[in-house]
Amino acid sequence: MSVAIERALEQLNQIILGKENQLKLALSCLLAGGHLLIEDLPGMGKTTLSHALASVLGLSYNRIQFTSDLLPADILGVSIFEKEPGTDLGRFRFHAGPVFTQLLLADEINRATPKSQSALLEAMEERQVTVEGETRPLPEPFFVIATQNPVSQSGTFTLPESQLDRFLMRITLGYPNERAERLLLEGNGRRQQAGQLAALISLEELQRLQQQVRDIHVSSSVLDYLQRIIAFTRYQAGYLYGLSPRGALALLNSARAWALVNGRQHVVPEDLQAVLPAVIDHRLADAGGGTRAASALVLEKVAVLA
Amino acid sequence: MNQIPRVALILLLLQMLATLVIHVSHLHFPFWLLAALAICWRWLMHRGQLPYPGWPTKTIAVGLGAVAVFFSYSGQFSLESAVAFFVTAALLKLLEMKTRRDAFILVYLQFFLLATGFLFEQGPLWGLYGIAGLWFGTVALISLQLNVAGSTSVRVAMRYASALMVLALPVMLVLYLLFPRMGPLWSIQLQSDRSFTGLSESMTPGDIANLSIRDEVAFRASFEGNMVPDREKLYWRALVLDQYDGRTWSYSRSSSSVQWYPDPALGNGAVLVANRYEVIMEPTGERWMYALDNPAAAERSSGITSTGLLINRQGVYQRMHYRGVSLFKPRQQSLTDDERQLNLRLPPDMNPQARAMAAELRQQYSEAAGFSLALMNHFNQQPFHYTLKPPRYGQDEIDQFLFESRRGFCAHYAAAFVFLARAAGFPARMVTGYQGGEWNETDHFLTVKQYDAHAWAEIWQDGRGWVRVDPTAAVAPMRVQYGLEDALRDEEASLIEGQTGIGRRMKQIGWLYDLQMKGESMNYLWNRWVLSYDRSLQESLLEQVFDRGDYQAMLAWMGGLVVGLFLFMGSLLLIRRQRSNTLPWIREWQQLQQQARQCGVEVGIGQTPSGWLQSLALAMPALADDCRRLAHLIDQLVYQSNEVNHDDQRRLQRHIRQLRRRLKSVRRPATETAAARHIHEGAV
């Protein structure tokens, strides 16, 4: 495992206790260059996690609290007429919105109206923003970490499937285990320091790691397995619709990043299986309305070797 | 998923109708009503507009069905009533059909019903229909199994069904050619109420006239080397009627002793054979067969009576194919006293005028030949009419015919001739059969229809034996030379079936006539090569292949061929599957997992190789090292490399096989612990 990754994970683990797997997934997501969706109840540490990630990666960080009266301009920015001092002349000047940052935390994204949601989601896909006919590129790298309350909570606008698809991964944190909670209650956690962590991975290093992810070796046997998974979601009864090619690519890139985070230069089936729930569960709807996640069926029914 | 898919249901209902169509010739009207009712009912049930019938309804339906069959066939057990009962049962099953299993049963019933259709219909078109029905039933069967919805499933099912039929074809051919042909077990007992058209054992002169308007095929014949005798000589003898009671001519059983096959006349070396021919005879339900003059028994189970008729041991209940042989010389050289008596006997005190005329002629001619020539001249010169519609004759019918109306059909002339001859003291008898026929130029066969039925006379001439005399030829020579239709006046000819209006005109339009002949040819070839393939043909075929056509060798061959075919197809499938994607080392891997499963180690299909090997190592600590090594190898060769090349595959295969051997060697203790765990769990 790369020393930088190891240290970053170590650091993060001290902030968020007992969530090693989720932290690894979150890091893999960013290394694969994808956006991350964290879905959980309020107060589970979603914001802390994203804040800590931004600090550890040394990225500029903005946060938007999504509310139902948030407007697209509040995210993207707005042009304001400014008078030249001392003259009667003036001109419009663009005031960049909070989206112009390297890591954007979109807190409680499903509290905003669809109009505002889509303003952000377009920026996520195209990594540029067009305001008043002028296209402005977003900083490089550009990550969005969005948090979302479970849809059953009141006052939420569900994200449609097409927009969920733009998040590389969706993770849930869940309640901490007993020991971690005890440490937290004892005040040993460093939650409040999340924003003041030293950057452990420089921008160049991040880009190098992202390049490494792209270079991770994938054997034909793994691709076979991946294709069986895709085919299974498309042709097997029980799914409303199958994985899109974008979903398939997402699965492959996530598995690569996961392999790198676990210190391997090649992808093994375990990598695919590890990222599978985070990558496909939010992309696939269960046709039967069953309680099992889409990935559970895949893990059980799709042959690894065939 | 136990429901019947909609598409499959539609196919099933259609198939039900299609299956009944093959029984159209004998199924009575109420059963069609029942079919329509049942099919509509089932469809409404599918639409949810009618409930499924409960047991009281079903019981009543079964009862009514049984009663309907009973009354419809007047309580007789015959093939028709059995099939009708079966049809009723299948239709009622339709109402009961709820689950897929029911639907399967129904499809099999339909297959069986289709097969029973061939007891009644054996034409080539019905054969094609049967194959189509089989295919359609297979489509229904497959669509029952498919989960795909809508029209795709029909297309897929059709493709599968076609492939299956093509695969089944060679097996079908082998079975057709080699399956032992048993005698017709059912036909004799069950076809009791089946009526045949044709000649009968007794005859009043009007009978032939009735028969002569029927357009049904009596038999077809072909001649060896296409040496077809002239039309005037084509007298196909069926029956000799030597008893006359003043009204009816009949066949005396007492007189006939039979020379069964093998015929000594054919046995000695120097046989003079006039004609060799083959006949495909439509069933008559009687024992006689059609033969030209002076027949010999050339076919197993056939024989020659003392009256010179070719007969069969059993009645002809199925279309029969036989060889016929005509000798040059009649075998009967002298007449016994009994025979002379029999062929001179007349009912006393009838037809005085005819008797007087006979006595007068006897004065002039002492020889039978001269006598018959004189009679023929009489018929030819006096104003006799040949007609399909003779008047009804009462008492002394011969007198009335000869001296009053002088209108008659062939049987009247023959009857008058025989009466006069007997009255004059010359032994004579009536013969019925067929005369002429229609020659098919393209495929060289003769079609003889019921309207070719004919009656003529035979008179005994010392030194020459029985000599054929056809008085009809003296009255209406056209009948013998060209056929009945040409011998009759137009308005009478139109009475003949198939010769009316359109039929007559068809003969005049060239291409239509050709088409008709082509149809005839197809029927003939079908009969000749498919239907008449019976035990003797099978034996002769086998004799050509083997030295003797013994059944053991045949069975062995049949079994061998079928098994061989299946092996061939199976291996084809296997090869295709192997080629498709499963690599040898993965098959080895799957076998390892299978073996482990038998040892009580759980195998999840979604488990990764290294993950599963870990659980195997946990379950069998003795194998831990091997498992670790193999996991490492798989990681190295399968996941770190790009493609698993040939050498790596061999290597993997070798290692997996090695692990399998190790697994086998430690298996015993492992199964014991697994069993112990099982017992433990059971106890808890």
Side-chain angles (χ1 to χ4, degrees):
Chain A
M1 195 190 293
S2 145
V3 184
I5 294 174
E6 204 168 346
R7 277 166 51 206
L9 276 176
E10 200 178 308
Q11 189 78 270
L12 288 170
N13 271 320
Q14 286 173 5
I15 307 289
I16 316 281
L17 299 168
K19 293 289 167 201
E20 283 159 41
N21 202 43
Q22 281 88 338
L23 291 175
K24 261 193 195 177
L25 278 173
L27 196 60
S28 305
C29 180
L30 298 193
L31 289 182
H35 306 293
L36 178 68
L37 179 65
I38 309 175
E39 182 179 295
D40 222 320
L41 296 164
M44 303 293 282
K46 299 187 291 275
T47 315
T48 314
L49 169 61
S50 56
H51 217 152
L53 269 173
S55 310
V56 164
L57 295 175
L59 300 173
S60 66
Y61 174 79
N62 267 338
R63 171 181 168 160
I64 309 172
Q65 181 65 44
F66 276 51
T67 56
S68 54
D69 55 358
L70 187 80
L71 293 173
D74 297 333
I75 302 170
L76 305 177
V78 67
S79 289
I80 294 171
F81 187 78
E82 280 186 358
K83 226 171 169 182
E84 294 283 322
T87 64
D88 279 348
L89 297 172
R91 62 193 182 94
F92 281 96
R93 263 189 54 186
F94 180 68
H95 288 251
V99 75
F100 290 87
T101 183
Q102 286 172 320
L103 195 151
L104 179 71
L105 173 65
D107 222 352
E108 301 191 313
I109 190 171
N110 59 343
R111 285 205 182 281
T113 52
K115 190 176 176 183
S116 310
Q117 285 174 359
S118 56
L120 174 66
L121 290 155
E122 274 171 40
M124 283 166 63
E125 186 61 19
E126 273 134 50
R127 293 174 195 267
Q128 63 185 23
V129 168
T130 305
V131 182
E132 288 161 11
E134 197 178 331
T135 303
R136 298 164 201 273
L138 291 171
E140 194 61 37
F142 176 70
F143 296 119
V144 172
I145 297 179
T147 71
Q148 157 167 287
N149 295 324
V151 177
S152 55
Q153 290 229 325
S154 57
T156 57
F157 295 92
T158 318
L159 286 176
E161 283 88 358
S162 60
Q163 304 198 338
L164 280 175
D165 199 32
R166 299 194 182 157
F167 289 99
L168 182 66
M169 288 191 196
R170 181 189 69 177
I171 60 174
T172 56
L173 288 173
Y175 298 118
N177 61 33
E178 214 172 312
R179 201 178 60 82
E181 194 135 42
R182 185 58 172 254
L183 283 172
L184 182 75
L185 294 172
E186 282 170 354
N188 288 330
R190 299 199 299 156
R191 227 177 168 145
Q192 50 287 86
Q193 299 170 15
Q196 295 117 45
L197 292 173
L200 293 173
I201 298 175
S202 66
L203 200 58
E204 294 78 46
E205 203 154 12
L206 181 65
Q207 276 162 353
R208 199 171 45 78
L209 286 172
Q210 286 185 334
Q211 186 56 47
Q212 277 182 23
V213 167
R214 286 192 283 275
D215 292 342
I216 294 280
H217 174 76
V218 181
S219 70
S220 66
S221 183
V222 168
L223 286 181
D224 285 344
Y225 180 42
L226 175 61
Q227 285 199 298
R228 275 195 293 278
I229 292 176
I230 300 162
F232 183 85
T233 63
R234 287 177 188 169
Y235 304 119
Q236 194 67 28
Y239 296 108
L240 214 50
Y241 38 80
L243 274 181
S244 61
R246 178 159 60 186
L249 274 175
L251 192 52
L252 181 63
N253 290 332
S254 306
R256 278 184 161 134
W258 183 263
L260 181 71
V261 167
N262 285 281
R264 247 179 291 102
Q265 292 304 311
H266 62 279
V267 176
V268 294
E270 280 86 348
D271 298 329
L272 274 178
Q273 295 190 341
V275 298
L276 194 70
V279 176
I280 74 168
D281 279 354
H282 64 291
R283 296 172 201 266
L284 294 179
D286 184 17
T291 50
R292 294 181 68 187
S295 57
L297 205 58
V298 170
L299 287 175
E300 189 187 325
K301 293 275 168 83
V302 180
V304 179
L305 287 179
Chain B
M1 286 295 283
N2 215 2
Q3 277 186 338
I4 302 165
R6 180 194 182 89
V7 172
L9 181 74
I10 295 173
L11 290 177
L12 272 177
L13 296 181
L14 288 179
Q15 170 76 348
M16 193 75 227
L17 263 186
T19 309
L20 293 190
V21 167
I22 206 168
H23 293 283
V24 72
S25 67
H26 63 90
L27 209 57
H28 292 180
F29 177 70
F31 296 97
W32 292 98
L33 211 62
L34 178 70
L37 195 74
I39 289 171
C40 291
W41 192 348
R42 186 61 187 81
W43 180 245
L44 288 177
M45 262 150 58
H46 172 74
R47 298 271 305 268
Q49 288 166 351
L50 275 178
Y52 283 88
W55 67 266
T57 324
K58 285 196 252 182
T59 315
I60 291 169
V62 168
L64 283 178
V67 169
V69 172
F70 186 83
F71 282 107
S72 208
Y73 292 90
S74 45
Q76 276 177 347
F77 182 71
S78 65
L79 204 56
E80 285 85 353
S81 64
V83 168
F85 187 75
F86 196 59
V87 165
T88 313
L91 286 171
L92 292 179
K93 183 74 199 166
L94 198 62
L95 293 185
E96 206 189 31
M97 182 175 71
K98 214 168 184 176
T99 62
R100 266 179 204 222
R101 198 181 143 273
D102 297 330
F104 287 138
I105 292 174
L106 192 76
V107 175
Y108 299 142
L109 286 181
Q110 287 169 346
F111 280 148
F112 193 82
L113 266 179
L114 207 60
T116 56
F118 289 101
L119 296 175
F120 303 95
E121 312 288 355
Q122 288 146 6
L125 291 177
W126 283 116
L128 279 180
Y129 187 86
I131 290 176
L134 209 58
W135 176 77
F136 201 76
T138 316
V139 172
L141 204 56
I142 293 171
S143 69
L144 272 172
Q145 301 272 26
L146 284 178
N147 280 326
V148 196
S151 57
T152 358
S153 86
V154 182
R155 266 206 308 282
V156 171
M158 281 179 173
R159 217 172 40 235
Y160 274 128
S162 311
L164 280 177
M165 294 280 284
V166 170
L167 284 177
L169 209 65
V171 180
M172 189 192 86
L173 281 178
V174 167
L175 288 177
Y176 171 78
L177 288 175
L178 293 185
F179 197 83
R181 305 255 155 183
M182 265 81 74
L185 295 175
W186 61 83
S187 61
I188 293 162
Q189 288 87 357
L190 284 174
Q191 285 193 323
S192 52
D193 68 339
R194 184 158 175 197
S195 59
F196 300 99
T197 48
L199 302 167
S200 62
E201 286 196 356
S202 62
M203 185 199 72
T204 54
D207 290 350
I208 298 253
N210 287 335
L211 201 57
S212 289
I213 60 169
R214 308 288 299 254
D215 184 33
E216 287 159 33
V217 173
F219 63 97
R220 296 185 174 92
S222 58
F223 295 87
E224 189 173 273
N226 287 330
M227 289 170 37
V228 195
D230 291 339
R231 195 189 162 91
E232 296 98 286
K233 289 183 183 160
L234 282 177
Y235 280 86
W236 299 93
R237 300 166 86 249
L239 268 174
V240 168
L241 306 176
D242 42 18
Q243 283 182 324
Y244 182 53
D245 66 356
R247 169 123 206 99
T248 305
W249 293 84
S250 60
Y251 171 69
S252 67
R253 281 164 203 287
S254 57
S255 65
S256 52
S257 64
V258 181
Q259 173 64 57
W260 292 107
Y261 176 90
D263 196 332
L266 290 177
N268 55 46
V271 195
L272 290 172
V273 173
N275 280 306
R276 286 183 188 278
Y277 49 90
E278 290 183 34
V279 174
I280 298 172
M281 177 181 173
E282 299 295 314
T284 55
E286 307 282 356
R287 292 172 68 199
W288 68 70
M289 292 145 84
Y290 311 114
L292 295 174
D293 290 339
N294 307 323
E299 197 76 48
R300 190 169 297 178
S301 87
S302 68
I304 304 293
T305 65
S306 58
T307 49
L309 296 174
L310 182 64
I311 62 164
N312 196 30
R313 272 191 201 276
Q314 290 103 31
V316 182
Y317 287 98
Q318 285 183 317
R319 189 176 284 112
M320 192 168 73
H321 180 201
Y322 62 87
R323 278 163 294 178
V325 168
S326 280
L327 304 174
F328 270 118
K329 283 190 156 191
R331 59 182 75 209
Q332 197 176 11
Q333 300 296 337
S334 62
L335 215 52
T336 64
D337 284 345
D338 282 350
E339 281 171 332
R340 182 175 292 276
Q341 284 297 315
L342 183 71
N343 287 302
L344 283 174
R345 193 177 299 149
L346 285 176
D349 308 328
M350 288 179 80
N351 302 315
Q353 278 179 282
R355 283 175 191 270
M357 178 183 168
E360 194 181 313
L361 282 169
R362 176 75 211 222
Q363 298 283 309
Q364 298 170 33
Y365 304 99
S366 58
E367 287 291 312
F371 176 81
S372 53
L373 195 64
L375 260 185
M376 294 288 270
N377 278 332
H378 177 76
F379 283 131
N380 183 244
Q381 281 151 20
Q382 299 296 317
F384 281 97
H385 282 285
Y386 182 64
T387 173
L388 254 182
K389 290 192 290 184
R392 294 183 65 84
Y393 296 111
Q395 193 76 16
D396 294 335
E397 57 175 3
I398 306 277
D399 275 0
Q400 285 177 15
F401 166 67
L402 277 177
F403 302 107
E404 287 167 31
S405 82
R406 301 187 179 188
R407 296 163 63 83
F409 199 56
C410 57
H412 295 94
Y413 293 98
F417 181 90
V418 174
F419 187 91
L420 288 172
R422 286 187 177 185
F426 299 110
R429 62 193 184 183
M430 170 94 99
V431 181
T432 56
Y434 296 87
Q435 200 276 326
E438 189 164 25
W439 182 250
N440 186 310
E441 265 312 323
T442 49
D443 287 290
H444 311 294
F445 65 91
L446 187 77
T447 304
V448 178
K449 297 200 167 176
Q450 293 298 352
Y451 59 63
D452 292 316
H454 193 48
W456 59 93
E458 282 178 349
I459 189 163
W460 178 263
Q461 293 183 12
D462 290 324
R464 285 187 66 192
W466 288 104
V467 174
R468 181 177 63 234
V469 181
D470 187 359
T472 311
V475 181
M478 301 280 272
R479 164 68 184 88
V480 180
Q481 281 163 15
Y482 299 107
L484 175 63
E485 190 203 344
D486 292 306
L488 294 171
R489 275 172 294 136
D490 279 354
E491 66 267 27
E492 282 197 11
S494 67
L495 285 173
I496 307 171
E497 288 175 5
Q499 309 296 320
T500 57
I502 298 167
R504 271 165 73 80
R505 244 165 275 143
M506 261 175 74
K507 283 205 170 181
Q508 288 153 14
I509 303 173
W511 64 270
L512 270 177
Y513 182 67
D514 284 349
L515 202 70
Q516 197 189 354
M517 293 304 268
K518 287 264 157 51
E520 277 287 330
S521 291
M522 189 176 75
N523 264 316
Y524 170 73
L525 293 174
W526 173 261
N527 289 338
R528 175 76 178 74
W529 296 109
V530 180
L531 290 183
S532 63
Y533 182 77
D534 57 4
R535 188 167 162 173
S536 61
L537 266 178
Q538 187 181 42
E539 277 173 4
S540 68
L541 177 82
L542 288 172
E543 269 166 27
Q544 282 172 17
V545 180
F546 312 105
D547 288 343
R548 290 174 299 111
D550 68 314
Y551 272 70
Q552 263 179 335
M554 192 181 91
L555 279 173
W557 265 89
M558 188 177 70
L561 268 174
V562 171
V563 168
L565 268 171
F566 274 113
L567 282 181
F568 175 68
M569 285 171 187
S571 51
L572 267 188
L573 285 177
L574 214 67
I575 288 167
R576 259 183 61 183
R577 223 176 85 183
Q578 283 185 4
R579 274 195 194 147
S580 63
N581 41 25
T582 315
L583 299 167
W585 78 269
I586 291 180
R587 275 204 304 283
E588 193 78 42
W589 169 258
Q590 285 161 348
Q591 281 163 356
L592 168 69
Q593 291 193 322
Q594 188 61 33
Q595 201 178 326
R597 187 181 281 136
Q598 285 162 6
C599 298
V601 179
E602 275 184 36
V603 179
I605 189 169
Q607 273 178 302
T608 59
S610 60
W612 183 75
L613 284 170
Q614 268 177 25
S615 63
L616 179 64
L618 274 178
M620 302 195 177
L623 298 178
D625 280 347
D626 299 79
C627 288
R628 206 164 36 243
R629 265 201 301 278
L630 182 58
H632 184 72
L633 196 69
I634 288 175
D635 187 68
Q636 188 193 337
L637 297 184
V638 179
Y639 296 116
Q640 291 190 27
S641 72
N642 215 347
E643 290 274 349
V644 189
N645 65 37
H646 190 70
D647 290 343
D648 291 349
Q649 287 201 24
R650 298 282 292 274
R651 210 167 138 200
L652 281 165
Q653 222 173 332
R654 207 168 52 239
H655 274 81
I656 296 170
R657 204 172 295 147
Q658 199 179 330
L659 185 58
R660 283 180 63 192
R661 272 199 297 275
R662 293 269 293 131
L663 184 59
K664 206 177 270 175
S665 66
V666 298
R667 180 180 171 173
R668 188 164 295 278
T671 41
E672 274 167 13
T673 50
R677 196 170 60 226
H678 215 79
I679 290 165
H680 179 68
E681 281 165 4
V684 169

